[in-house]
């Protein structure tokens, strides 16, 4: 897309995705032992949900501000699309957490 630099508010979504990835990795490490002690896995799933909610807030604030401040329509579309894809990534990470919670219910 070759957009202009994205503001710090926009970069916050990337940091949240990185945090979600860390929790997913930790959750994967728990899969071998979660049947005996599901507490940690359940905690990681909750964290994924919390981070996704935080990411929704960041995304909504960023998009609102983008539409208020960006005057170049093409640039607005570019940045909006990039941010939308990042937001979808946070949704996907939360979906992983939901699947893991289902595993806890079924096998723990």
């Amino acid at each position: 897309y070759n957009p202009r630099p994205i503001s710090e508010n926009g970069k916050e979504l990337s940091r949240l995705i990185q945090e979600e990835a860390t929790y997913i990795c930790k959750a994967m490490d728990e899969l071998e032992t979660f049947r005996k002690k599901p507490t940690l896995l359940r905690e990681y799933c909750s964290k994924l949900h919390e981070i996704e909610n935080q990411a929704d807030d960041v995304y909504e604030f960023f998009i609102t501000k983008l539409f208020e401040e960006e005057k170049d329509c093409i640039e607005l579309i570019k940045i909006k699309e990039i941010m939308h894809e990042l937001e979808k990534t946070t949704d996907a990470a939360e979906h992983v957490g939901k699947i893991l919670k289902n595993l806890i219910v079924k096998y723990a």
Side-chain angles (χ1 to χ4, degrees):
Y1 287 153
N2 198 20
R4 291 188 199 133
I6 294 175
S7 71
E8 282 302 311
N9 288 338
K11 293 176 184 176
E12 179 65 19
L13 270 181
S14 298
R15 286 189 279 276
L16 291 171
I17 291 168
Q18 186 176 19
E19 193 176 340
E20 283 180 319
T22 300
Y23 280 112
I24 289 172
C25 288
K26 289 179 180 182
M28 293 299 107
D29 291 340
E30 291 296 314
L31 286 179
E32 291 181 21
T33 60
F34 84 94
R35 288 181 184 188
K36 296 175 188 168
K37 189 177 176 187
T39 310
L40 271 177
L41 185 59
R42 192 174 289 122
E43 180 183 323
Y44 297 148
C45 294
S46 295
K47 282 291 195 182
L48 289 170
H49 178 70
E50 289 171 21
I51 293 168
E52 197 280 330
N53 287 340
Q54 187 180 355
D56 283 345
D57 293 340
V58 169
Y59 174 74
E60 288 172 18
F61 176 76
F62 179 84
I63 294 299
T64 300
K65 198 167 181 175
L66 177 68
F67 275 89
E68 288 173 356
E69 296 175 357
E70 184 60 56
K71 302 303 176 207
D72 181 351
C73 295
I74 295 172
E75 200 63 31
L76 185 140
I77 292 168
K78 288 180 193 178
I79 294 171
K80 180 187 167 295
E81 285 299 312
I82 291 168
M83 296 305 291
H84 181 69
E85 291 301 316
L86 291 174
E87 200 279 329
K88 282 179 20 183
T89 304
T90 65
D91 291 342
E94 182 188 33
H95 186 69
V96 170
K98 288 178 181 177
I99 291 169
L100 293 172
K101 273 188 179 180
N102 286 338
L103 283 176
I104 293 170
V105 169
K106 287 180 182 177
Y107 298 108

